Structure formats: structure tokens, C-alpha cells
Amino acid sequence: MKSIYLTIALAPLIGAIVAGLFGKKIGRVGAHTVTTLGVAISFLLSLVVYKHIVIDGGAAFNGAVYTWLISDGIRFEIGFLIDKLTTLMIMVVTFVSLMVHIYTIGYMKDDPGYQRFFSYIALFTFSMLMLVMSNNFLQLFFGWEAVGLVSYLLIGFWYQKESAIYANLKAFLVNRVGDFGFLLGIAAILMYFNSLDYVEVFAAAQSMSAVNIQIFPGVEWSLMTVIGILLFIGAMGKSAQVPLHVWLPDSMEGPTPISALIHAATMVTAGIFMVARMSPLYELSETALSFILVIGAITALFMGLLGLVQNDIKRVIAYSTLSQLGYMTVALGASAYAGAIFHLTTHAFYKALLFLAAGSVILAMHHKQDIREMGGLKKYMPITYWTSMIGTLALIGFPGFSGFFSKDAIIEAVKLSQLPGSGFAYIAVLLGVFVTALYSFRLLFMVFHGKERMDEHTRAHLKEPSAVVTWPLILLAAPALVIGAMTVGPMLFEGYFGSAIVVDPGHDTLARLGETYTGVMGFMLHGLLSAPFWLAIAGILTAWYAYIVRPDLPGKAKDRFQTIFTILDRKYGFDNFYDFFFAGGSRKIGRLFWKAGDESTIDGFMVDGTAKGIAWISAKVRHMQTGFLYHYAFAMIIGLLVLITVFVIF
């Protein structure tokens, strides 16, 4: 099986190298063939691994494939840990990536950077696979940084656009903030555990739980709390949690396929996966868990509210991603790690579907993205409409659709949590259901229903895109519809993850929830009678009334609640503050060093000052050369007197 694991990771890399280095020689067809084939091989082999590990009950694999360095007994290795958690992740990543590759053939067909784009997305898939398959912190960090690097390249793919360059630089810098904390967490693990291997660190974690350290003199912190929070700061960057969320909406500047790839199943879920993988560490610190719980709750509610005022079709879905990542993070904080991974899985399918459907609309609208210029597209684009409807119903957690099972499980788990902050988190995720339904159906109604608001030229050319675009929508709609009902029992209540996820019995909210689980139909019946369902219905009806029955109401509400709208439109001021304080402050500090250091000290004093000093001295000294003999004789006499005086005295 070791060769299969290597092939899963390396097949996309080989495709990326071939398309990247030889793209001009093999042409567009060659580029998309070799990269798509590489990802397809990885996906098919992931099914083989799933059968071996999950269906046949095969033993998990944990071993090194390459030893890079051994120093003071510490091994720096490339290795794989293939258990049920990894198996699920590689299936999700490779399937969504494969759909994106196929979709890209149609979406990017006229782009001059066609081969380069395919090379990038295949490289992105390789990076994510290395991250989720790692068995040590060194390889985890490699995959972590690699997905960050390739996301920088993808977000700024259209590098001629100033907005795209700003967006990829923003993503890169914000993630560096999170990654600094992540690196400090890994350094702390190396310092105190003397190992980077997951198994060794997890085995020693319990014995280290009583260790306290001093970050500041006189103030003691639990070692596990410090490690947990530092690692989670990395997750806050990758998974776009408040306040390190600002890069994700701007990343919509990249082509739509990468929105589906980065924001559905890959980069933004890396932080969720990492915390779930580190559950043996997090279960030893309630402080770290409470911190995660509150951050996730803030993100889930307040980022969802921003989706209500967005008019760019992709940005609405982007803020939806932020909110759903908040739900996953809340689940992690409530020790419902299985619930977080379950929601990650269902979200990957329906969110990739929604992004690709948005891309289909953008193609039909000749790359217009303002939903205020759309409307009535249902009759022109039936496949896109019905697949979007499936994705939207899954997103809002409508009973029977995949998102219903995972979202309801998270809400109930938070309700059962006893951690500090769980009360606030429960209210936040509950209100988030209404907000999610409102902005989701606002988008659906404004794009596909109501009055047609596009110009005549656009209307005349409206049609469904080619099959290479619509088939991925159909293939993603199927799991978005049924995957939740098919897997809710095993993943949440029947111990699917086994030893891959560790939960302290006192924190096990899913076990308490499972005591009342009677099957899929019972879960759905409970959902029909619970508050989240009726909040979702209220959100749908509000959107229908405001955007179909009374389309004048949103404008009136905006005028009446101008202050609230302004706060939301400015995204709570995060972007303005960061731009003024961090970016502006850095520029001012740089300007100070330039003026005071470079111009005044180095150029003014050292370089120009030396030259001016020599010139001044030379100007004075040259007056001593008069050409008169008696001046020279006088100077000799004075010099002789000075020498005699020195000799007499000393």
C-alpha cells in the first residue's frame, strides 16, 4: 500500500510539473489532460484506500518515506499517516479537485494563461494532500506553507489586474501572521516533547499536561494551553477566522475555479483538519477549547451578516464560506471534532457546487458579477438553477439535504457543551441559521427569479454553458443532496474515526447527543420540530417577501438603518484599520528609516558628508601652498621650534 500512498500524493505533482515546464510544447489539451489525469489517478486510488482502511478494516499506516535529517536524536522526515480521518480527507480533496479540473477546461478555455493555471491547481492539490497525509509536524508545515504559496499564485493569477495583486499580497501577509503563531506552536512542541512525530507527541501529551511555563515573568501558563492557542492562530489564518479573515473575500479576484478549490475543500479547511488531528492535545486544555469556541461563534454569526449587503455573486458565497468555517470551528471548540469534519465534508460538496454554479452564471453574463444586473435566469439556465437550488438548500440546512445533518449536529453539540462561552456560541450559531437562509435565498432570488435586469445584448446571448461546465455541477449536486443522510450515523455516532480523534469523556457532546439518535428519519423528524428549521424557514420567507413580493423594501430598510448598513458595508472596519494601522504604519516606519537612515545618515552624513568634509579640508589646506619662499622658511622655523620644545619637555 505504501506505493499507492506515494502515487496519490505525487500524481498531481507530476502533472503540475509537466504542464508548468512543458506547457507550450504539449499545448492546452496536453496540459489539461496530464493534470486532470494525475488528479483522477489520486481520486481512484483514494477509493482503493477507503476500501482497504474503512470497508475491509485494514490497519492504519504510519511510516516514513524519506528521512531528511537526524539531529540530536530528532528525526526530520517525510512520512504518511493513513487512517480513517486521512482517508476521508484525501477522498474529498481529490474528488472536488477533479471536478474543478474538468470545469476549468470550459471556464478558462479562452484564457492565455491556460497551461499555467492547470499547473497551479494541480500543484495546489499536491500541497493539500501532503498536508493531510502527514504523520509529523515538519511535513504538516511544508504542506501548510505550500498551499499558502500556491494560493498566492492563484489569487493573483490575473496579475495584470491591480486588485488581484492587492488581494494575493493581502492573503499572503495575513496568513504570515497566522503562520508565525503556528510555527511558534511547532517550536514549543519540539522544545518540550523533543519530537515532531505525531504518535510520539500524542503519547507524551498526558504526562506534559501538568507542565506550566512562563511567557512573561511571574505569569504561569499551561504548556498545553500555549501550544493549543499558538497552533490555532495558524488555523485562524488558513481557515479565515476573525480577526484573520480579511483575506478570503478579496481572494475572489482570482478565477472562479480556484474559489471552489481554495474555499470549499482545500486551503480553508486545512485549519479545521489540523485542530481535529491535534485533538489529543486540545482535550488537555479547556482554555484553548473555549478560545476556539468563542472565535468560531463570532465568525459564524458576524461574517454571515456581511453576506446580506454584498452584491458580487462570488463575495456573497465567500462570506458564506467564512460563516460555515465558523460553524466548523465552533464544533471543534465543543470537542465535537467528528461533527466539524462531517460539516467540512458536506460543505466541500455544496460549497464547491455553489461556486462553480456562480461561475456558470458569470460565463453566461459575459463576466458580470453584480447580482443587481441579473434576475430571471432560471428559464435560460435550468441546470445551473436546479443545481444551485440543491446547493442552497444544503447550505441552509434544509431537512434531508447534506448540510442539515452536519449543521444540526453542531448546533445540538454546542447546546450540550459545558465550556465557558458555550452559551454565547449557541445563540450565535442559532441566529446564524436565519442569517444563512436570508442571504442564501436573497442570492438565489436576485439571480434566478424576479425581473430581468440585464441589458439586451446580454439577454440575447444567455444560455447554459457547455457540458464540460455543467457536468461537474451535476456530479457535485449528487453528494450535496445525499451524502449527509448516508454518513451521519457512522461519522457522528458509530465511531467512524476510531482512534484518529480523541475526546475526553467529560467533553464528549456527540456521545451525549448520540444517546437520543434513532436513525436518519428520527434525526430529520427532530430537525423539523427544532428551532433551526423554523429559523431557516423564516429566513427563506423574509428573502422571498423582500426580494420578490416587495423588492422596494431593501432600499427602504437601507435608508432607515443607514448606520447599520454602513457598518456592514465597511466590514466592521477591519480592512480600514489594518490598512491604516499595519499597512500604513509600516509604510510610515519605512519612510522614517528612509529619510532618517538612508537619506540623512547614510547618504547625507556618511557618503555625502565624507565627500563634503574632504572637500572642506582640502579647500583649507590648499591655501598653505602659496609659492612664496619666505612662507615655507617661516613654516620650517615654526616646525623646528615645535620639535625642539617637544624634545626639551619630554
Side-chain angles (χ1 to χ4, degrees), residues 7 71 112 162 208 290 302 348 411 448 485 528 550 602 619:
T7 305
S71 177
E162 185 176 343
M208 300 294 289
S290 292
F302 291 98
I411 294 171
F448 294 102
L528 289 171
R550 291 283 307 278
I602 297 176

Side-chain angles (χ1 to χ4, degrees), residues 318-358:
Y319 280 107
S320 166
T321 298
L322 281 170
S323 180
Q324 296 307 302
L325 289 167
Y327 275 88
M328 299 176 209
T329 303
V330 165
L332 296 172
S335 294
Y337 304 99
I341 298 298
F342 185 35
H343 197 52
L344 181 157
T345 303
T346 60
H347 175 265
F349 296 119
Y350 66 70
K351 188 53 63 68
L353 170 59
L354 288 172
F355 270 119
L356 296 186

Side-chain angles (χ1 to χ4, degrees), residues 104-118:
T104 301
I105 297 172
Y107 190 88
M108 300 289 287
K109 63 180 180 179
D110 298 322
D111 197 284
Y114 190 85
Q115 293 97 315
R116 178 166 59 95
F117 188 81
F118 272 97

Side-chain angles (χ1 to χ4, degrees), residues 278-589:
M278 302 301 142
S279 59
L281 304 181
Y282 281 101
E283 284 302 290
L284 300 174
S285 174
E286 290 193 352
T287 302
L289 289 175
S290 292
F291 180 72
I292 294 171
L293 187 70
V294 172
I295 291 294
I298 293 171
T299 305
L301 176 60
F302 291 98
M303 293 301 105
L305 289 171
L306 297 184
L308 296 173
V309 299
Q310 299 299 312
N311 294 311
D312 183 302
I313 186 172
K314 288 169 61 177
R315 285 180 180 266
V316 176
I317 305 174
Y319 280 107
S320 166
T321 298
L322 281 170
S323 180
Q324 296 307 302
L325 289 167
Y327 275 88
M328 299 176 209
T329 303
V330 165
L332 296 172
S335 294
Y337 304 99
I341 298 298
F342 185 35
H343 197 52
L344 181 157
T345 303
T346 60
H347 175 265
F349 296 119
Y350 66 70
K351 188 53 63 68
L353 170 59
L354 288 172
F355 270 119
L356 296 186
S360 177
V361 170
I362 292 169
L363 282 178
M365 292 290 298
H366 302 290
H367 293 277
K368 293 179 180 178
Q369 298 182 195
D370 193 328
I371 60 177
R372 293 170 297 184
E373 298 178 13
M374 300 179 189
L377 295 184
K378 176 183 176 182
K379 66 180 181 181
Y380 301 103
M381 309 176 68
I383 297 176
T384 301
Y385 171 72
W386 287 110
T387 53
S388 295
M389 177 63 79
I390 291 172
T392 301
L393 290 173
L395 170 61
I396 70 168
F398 196 82
F401 291 79
S402 61
F404 161 76
F405 297 96
S406 55
K407 183 178 284 188
D408 264 35
I410 290 173
I411 294 171
E412 292 299 319
V414 174
K415 184 178 181 181
L416 295 172
S417 176
Q418 301 298 316
L419 288 174
S422 58
F424 164 72
Y426 178 67
I427 294 172
V429 294
L430 206 57
L431 293 176
V433 174
F434 172 80
V435 175
T436 301
L438 181 55
Y439 68 66
S440 298
F441 272 85
R442 169 182 179 262
L443 178 67
L444 193 77
F445 290 145
M446 290 189 70
V447 173
F448 294 102
H449 293 270
K451 180 182 177 182
E452 298 175 4
R453 298 179 296 275
M454 69 287 296
D455 57 67
E456 288 301 324
H457 174 75
T458 303
R459 181 188 287 108
H461 293 83
L462 281 173
K463 63 177 181 178
E464 201 77 77
S466 61
V468 76
V469 171
T470 55
W471 267 107
L473 301 182
I474 296 170
L475 293 174
L476 283 166
L481 179 61
V482 302
I483 196 70
M486 291 173 59
T487 59
V488 59
M491 290 188 68
L492 294 185
F493 309 118
E494 297 170 16
Y496 166 85
F497 294 103
S499 60
I501 289 177
V502 176
V503 184
D504 185 278
H507 298 162
D508 202 344
T509 52
L510 286 180
R512 293 168 60 190
L513 183 61
E515 295 172 359
T516 59
Y517 178 71
T518 57
V520 173
M521 295 307 298
F523 197 102
M524 291 177 60
L525 180 60
H526 176 270
L528 289 171
L529 302 174
S530 64
F533 171 71
W534 294 107
L535 285 170
I537 294 297
I540 295 172
L541 292 176
T542 303
W544 170 76
Y545 187 75
Y547 295 98
I548 298 297
V549 179
R550 291 283 307 278
D552 60 309
L553 278 182
K556 293 181 178 179
K558 175 183 174 181
D559 294 337
R560 184 169 183 179
F561 303 102
Q562 186 63 47
T563 301
I564 296 175
F565 175 83
T566 302
I567 292 172
L568 296 178
D569 189 52
R570 293 181 179 176
K571 307 162 193 173
Y572 306 117
F574 279 104
D575 285 305
N576 292 337
F577 174 73
Y578 290 165
D579 188 59
F580 170 78
F581 186 78
F582 292 108
S586 298
R587 287 192 294 267
K588 288 178 180 178
I589 292 173

